[in-house]
Amino acid sequence: MSMGARLAQERRKQNLTQEQLAEQLGVTRQAVSRWESDTAYPETDKILRMAALFNVSCDYLLGVSEERRGDKPPISEPISVKRYEITL
């Protein structure tokens, strides 16, 4: 399923019109229509807001994952980051 189809499906589940979703995101209804028809893609901040609004993961909206929710247990161990120093 495309990102646009997922957006439309989740919007309808919330009983929102394209106009209502557009108002919540601060965009035009035409922008939402283009997203849903896969002729344009929302900016990252809009994807984050829609994921929160629809209670789904960004990965699901983007079509990266079939899992609707991104509820994964927190990492129990700290992640170490290796640092490199460059000397000129």
Side-chain angles (χ1 to χ4, degrees):
M1 181 182 299
S2 72
M3 182 178 74
R6 288 179 190 220
L7 290 176
Q9 177 182 359
E10 295 301 324
R11 176 182 56 78
R12 289 184 191 111
K13 283 182 183 178
Q14 296 291 322
N15 293 315
L16 293 172
T17 64
Q18 287 182 343
E19 183 73 31
Q20 291 168 325
L21 178 59
E23 285 178 22
Q24 289 190 27
L25 298 173
V27 298
T28 64
R29 183 205 54 80
Q30 291 84 356
V32 174
S33 176
R34 287 191 300 269
W35 299 341
E36 290 183 359
S37 64
D38 291 313
T39 57
Y41 296 98
E43 295 173 343
T44 304
D45 66 312
K46 305 297 189 268
I47 294 170
L48 291 168
R49 291 175 64 190
M50 286 187 285
L53 175 67
F54 301 147
N55 196 29
V56 297
S57 70
C58 291
D59 284 350
Y60 174 78
L61 281 182
L62 294 170
V64 176
S65 171
E66 292 300 316
E67 292 182 35
R68 290 187 75 241
R69 305 218 48 226
D71 296 333
K72 300 206 187 304
I75 298 171
S76 58
E77 298 177 20
I79 298 173
S80 64
V81 177
K82 199 173 211 178
R83 292 182 172 225
Y84 296 95
E85 288 187 29
I86 299 174
T87 309
L88 299 175

